[in-house]
Amino acid sequence: MTRTNADLGRLLLRIALGACVLLHGIAKLTGGIAGVTGLVTAVGLPAFVAYGVYVGEVVAPVMLILGWYSRVGALLIAINMLAAVGLAHRADLFKLAETGGYALELQAMYLITALALALMGPGRFSVDER
């Protein structure tokens, strides 16, 4: 595999993960975070913690797409996904979906892709190659 192919692969992963997570963030920007606030306060955390969802679903994906401190952006997305699983999806952690796949396959894919990008870095096609 050439360096260019590897860098294009990283770019595709950054854009795909960043765009998918950003769409969740846009939904929260337009619809509010009342649901997240409810989940956060239900486990005894202060309500302001819910605003962290904007970091994980708006700021971090933009960082990832641009390749600007993308390792940090990817780690923020991974933390966001761990929080989402812990707050909203705990009951499904060890379940299969009705179709036979893992019940949290989307969340797992986001988390693992974010961790992989944090380890690999953005590649050459980024604002700051690292």
Side-chain angles (χ1 to χ4, degrees):
M1 177 181 281
T2 67
R3 179 173 182 213
T4 299
N5 286 346
D7 289 332
L8 284 171
R10 288 180 175 109
L11 175 64
L12 288 173
L13 285 174
R14 287 188 1 245
I15 290 171
L17 179 62
C20 289
V21 174
L22 182 59
L23 289 173
H24 288 275
I26 290 170
K28 288 177 180 75
L29 283 172
T30 59
I33 59 167
V36 178
T37 303
L39 291 170
V40 165
T41 57
V43 296
L45 294 170
F48 76 85
V49 172
Y51 287 95
V53 76
Y54 290 128
V55 174
E57 294 185 8
V58 177
V59 177
V62 170
M63 292 170 69
L64 201 58
I65 291 167
L66 295 176
W68 181 72
Y69 292 96
S70 64
R71 289 180 190 259
V72 173
L75 283 175
L76 290 170
I77 290 172
I79 291 166
N80 185 73
M81 291 314 305
L82 288 172
V85 168
L87 292 171
H89 304 289
R90 286 188 307 270
D92 296 327
L93 197 54
F94 299 105
K95 290 185 180 175
L96 293 178
E98 290 182 21
T99 57
Y102 180 43
L104 299 180
E105 64 187 18
L106 180 63
Q107 292 84 353
M109 185 64 71
Y110 286 175
L111 173 62
I112 293 166
T113 303
L115 291 173
L117 284 166
L119 292 170
M120 289 188 302
R124 210 168 16 144
F125 303 112
S126 61
V127 171
D128 63 337
E129 179 184 352
R130 292 183 192 242

